[in-house]
Amino acid sequence: MSTGQNERRRYCLITPCRDEAKYARVTLDAILKQTVPPALWVIVDDGSTDGTGARATEAGAVVLPHATNRGKGCAVRTGLEAVLERQQGSNAWIAVTLREGKNREVRRIFEHLGWPVTRLIRVGFGPFALGDLKAGEVGEVSAAQLGR
């Protein structure tokens, strides 16, 4: 990842929606007119019944469908958060938090942005985190972590 002043930053826009098919084209047109348009537009389709997912796909978005309406909060939390932690030469270390993951989602999104993933390290899953555990160490899961 270059950090030159003239290089445009690349980003992914994640838009939660439900029954918004009539606005898909107009929204994409507005997004593409931005000074720096997104490299990827993701629509979280929260159980739409009006063809929102199909219209968003036609407009050029990647659609993450929810089979049923799970509510605005769930749609907003679907997606990922990425923070550049450090850069060493041509390697960038990015901390990624997924809200709801799909098969190889991190690799596919970063490859779409032109940043191939050479290594993934999982440091947490749900309420569980590695914390200070070293490679090969084992830790006990508390009753509180299990929700009991």
Side-chain angles (χ1 to χ4, degrees), residues 96-114:
V96 177
T97 302
L98 285 174
R99 306 290 186 244
E100 179 177 319
K102 306 283 189 261
N103 185 36
R104 300 179 57 81
E105 184 172 15
V106 171
R107 287 187 189 274
R108 286 186 284 128
I109 288 173
F110 279 90
E111 285 169 8
H112 183 86
L113 294 171

Side-chain angles (χ1 to χ4, degrees), residues 71-98:
K72 182 178 179 182
C74 185
V76 168
R77 288 187 305 273
T78 299
L80 63 88
E81 175 185 330
V83 176
L84 177 63
E85 289 192 338
R86 70 181 185 277
Q87 191 163 352
Q88 296 173 310
S90 64
N91 293 320
W93 291 85
I94 301 173
V96 177
T97 302
L98 285 174

